[in-house]
C-alpha cells in the first residue's frame, strides 16, 4: 500500500513518489495537488497551475523555467514522471534544486520502481525529501484495502463483505476502488453487505478464478470444470486461474504445516490470510495429505508454464490442472 514519510506536501517541497503500483502512485500525485490547492484557496489565492512532464527528454532550460520564479506570482505544481529515465546531465541540477527548492512550487517526482535510476533516488532520500511509496498490497491484504476505501468514502463494511468484493472484482486496485465508490454511492447510507455486492457483481463472482480453485480444492471435479468453462467464456485470463489455484494450495500447505497451539491472530499471520479465512482453510484441509498436496502443486506449476507459452492450448492445460487437483484431494 502507499506509505508516506514526512508531513503533508506543500509549496516549497519536493515530493518523491516511488513504486510500481500505478493506481496508488496516481492517487499520491492527485492528493499532493489537492493539498496545495486547498492551502492556496484558504489564503484566497488563485487556482494552482499544474504542469505534468516526462523526465525522459527534460533539459536544464525547461527545468529552470518550470521551477524558477514566476512572472505572474502564481503558485505551481510540477509533476515530473518517469524519473528513472532522467538524462544523466540533469541529475546534478535536480539534486541542487532539491537542496534549495522554490517557495512557490511543489515538485512531485514519480519513479515507477525497479533498479533503473536508483542512484538518483538514494541521493534524493539523503536530501531528506518527503516520499510516498506506492506498493501493491498482497492478495490477502486486499480485503483491508477495500474496507479502507469504503471507510474513506464514508461507508462501512465487514470483513466478509470486503472479501466477497475482492472475489467478485479481482485484484486490480483501480477496479476495486471504482466498485467501492459505486457501492457506497448506491447503499443509501447503509452498510455495504455481501448481499448488495451479489446484486451488483454476482454474475462476475460466479465465474472468478477463485470459484474454480475452491471447487477443485474441495475435490468437486465436475463443478470445478463447469466454473472453469464459464470463466474462460467470460474472458477470465488463464493466468488468473493458475494464480488463484496456486494461492489456494499454498494457503493449505502453510495451514497444515503451521505450529500447533497458535492463537487465531498469530495463525492467520503465519499462514498469510485474514483471520476469518482460517475456518475455510480448516474445512478445506480435510482430506488433503502431504502427498496429495505435492501432486496438486506440481500440476499447477505445469499448467502455469503451459498457459504462459509452453503449450498451445491453454484451455486444455487448465482442464488437466483442475482434474489433477480435484483428484489429488484425499490421495495419499
Amino acid at each position: 500500500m502507499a506509505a508516506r514519510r514526512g508531513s503533508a506536501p506543500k509549496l516549497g517541497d519536493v515530493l518523491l513518489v516511488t513504486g510500481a503500483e500505478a493506481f496508488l502512485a496516481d492517487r499520491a500525485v492527485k492528493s499532493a495537488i489537492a493539498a496545495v490547492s486547498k492551502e492556496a484557496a484558504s489564503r484566497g489565492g488563485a487556482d494552482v497551475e499544474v504542469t505534468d512532464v516526462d523526465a525522459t527528454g527534460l533539459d536544464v532550460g525547461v527545468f529552470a523555467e518550470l521551477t524558477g520564479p514566476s512572472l505572474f506570482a502564481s503558485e505551481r505544481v510540477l509533476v515530473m514522471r518517469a524519473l528513472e529515465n532522467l538524462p544523466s546531465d540533469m541529475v546534478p541540477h535536480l539534486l541542487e534544486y532539491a537542496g534549495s527548492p522554490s517557495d512557490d512550487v511543489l515538485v512531485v517526482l514519480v519513479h515507477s520502481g525497479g533498479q533503473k535510476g536508483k542512484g538518483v533516488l538514494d541521493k534524493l532520500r539523503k536530501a531528506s525529501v518527503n516520499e510516498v511509496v506506492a506498493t501493491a498490497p498482497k492478495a490477502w491484504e486486499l480485503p483491508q484495502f477495500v474496507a479502507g476505501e469504503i471507510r474513506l468514502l464514508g461507508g462501512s463494511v465487514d470483513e466478509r463483505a470486503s472479501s466477497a468484493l475482492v472475489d467478485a472484482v479481482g485484484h486490480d486496485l483501480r477496479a476495486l476502488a471504482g466498485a467501492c465508490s459505486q457501492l457506497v454511492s448506491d447503499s443509501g447510507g447503509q452498510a455495504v453487505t455481501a448481499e448488495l455486492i451479489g446484486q451488483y457483481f454476482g454474475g462476475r463472482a460466479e465465474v472468478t478464478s477463485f470459484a474454480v480453485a475452491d471447487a477443485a480444492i474441495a475435490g468437486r471435479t465436475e463443478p470445478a470444470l463447469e466454473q472453469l468453462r464459464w470463466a474462460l467464456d467470460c474472458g477470465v485470463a488463464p493466468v488468473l486461474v493458475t494464480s488463484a489455484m496456486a494461492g489456494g494450495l499454498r494457503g493449505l500447505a502453510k495451514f497444515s504445516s503451521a505450529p500447533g497451539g497458535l492463537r487465531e491472530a498469530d495463525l492467520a499471520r503465519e499462514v498469510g490470510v485474514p483471520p476469518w479465512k482460517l475456518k475455510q482453510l480448516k474445512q478445506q484441509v480435510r482430506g488433503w495429505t502431504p502427498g496429495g498436496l505435492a501432486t496438486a502443486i506440481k500440476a499447477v506449476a505445469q499448467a502455469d508454464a503451459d498457459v504462459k507459452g509452453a503449450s498451445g492450448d491453454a484451455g486444455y492445460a487448465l482442464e488437466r490442472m483442475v482434474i489433477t487437483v480435484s483428484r489429488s484431494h484425499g490421495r495419499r
Side-chain angles (χ1 to χ4, degrees), residues 231-281:
L232 294 178
D233 287 345
C234 291
V236 174
V239 70
L240 294 181
V241 180
T242 58
S243 176
M245 194 77 77
L249 291 171
R250 276 197 304 269
L252 279 184
K254 289 181 179 180
F255 181 81
S256 62
S257 62
L262 293 177
R263 294 179 302 173
E264 184 178 85
D266 294 332
L267 179 57
R269 213 164 15 247
E270 178 78 16
V271 179
V273 297
W276 69 265
K277 198 163 185 177
L278 293 176
K279 183 177 180 181
Q280 180 185 9
L281 287 173

Side-chain angles (χ1 to χ4, degrees), residues 61-285:
V62 173
F63 181 69
E65 181 181 347
L66 294 173
T67 57
S70 170
L71 294 175
F72 305 101
S74 63
E75 297 172 327
R76 294 162 292 156
V77 176
L78 170 61
V79 181
M80 188 189 303
R81 301 186 187 272
L83 182 64
E84 63 274 15
N85 296 327
L86 184 71
S88 57
D89 60 348
M90 272 296 305
V91 173
H93 299 280
L94 177 61
L95 295 175
E96 181 182 2
Y97 178 85
S100 181
S102 300
D103 291 337
D104 61 349
V105 182
L106 167 66
V107 174
V108 183
L109 307 171
V110 184
H111 187 286
S112 61
Q115 291 299 308
K116 188 177 182 182
K118 185 176 182 299
V120 180
L121 294 183
D122 292 340
K123 290 173 183 177
L124 287 167
R125 287 163 180 153
K126 286 180 181 178
S128 299
V129 302
N130 287 344
E131 181 175 5
V132 174
V133 183
T135 304
K138 297 179 175 63
W140 65 273
E141 295 174 322
L142 288 172
Q144 299 172 32
F145 171 81
V146 166
E149 283 291 305
I150 289 176
R151 285 195 297 269
L152 190 65
L153 293 164
S156 61
V157 66
D158 63 29
E159 197 168 28
R160 289 186 179 277
S162 296
S163 297
L165 185 59
V166 174
D167 286 348
V169 175
H171 291 188
D172 182 81
L173 296 190
R174 204 176 298 275
L176 282 171
C180 290
S181 178
Q182 180 181 6
L183 288 165
V184 171
S185 175
D186 292 351
S187 65
Q190 301 298 311
V192 174
T193 63
E195 289 72 25
L196 181 63
I197 291 166
Q199 292 174 20
Y200 279 83
F201 304 104
R204 291 176 66 176
E206 289 174 359
V207 298
T208 61
S209 50
F210 299 100
V212 179
D214 286 345
I217 289 171
R220 301 166 57 232
T221 305
E222 287 305 318
L225 288 172
E226 289 177 5
Q227 294 282 8
L228 173 64
R229 291 172 190 130
W230 292 337
L232 294 178
D233 287 345
C234 291
V236 174
V239 70
L240 294 181
V241 180
T242 58
S243 176
M245 194 77 77
L249 291 171
R250 276 197 304 269
L252 279 184
K254 289 181 179 180
F255 181 81
S256 62
S257 62
L262 293 177
R263 294 179 302 173
E264 184 178 85
D266 294 332
L267 179 57
R269 213 164 15 247
E270 178 78 16
V271 179
V273 297
W276 69 265
K277 198 163 185 177
L278 293 176
K279 183 177 180 181
Q280 180 185 9
L281 287 173
K282 188 175 181 179
Q283 294 172 339
Q284 287 182 330
V285 81

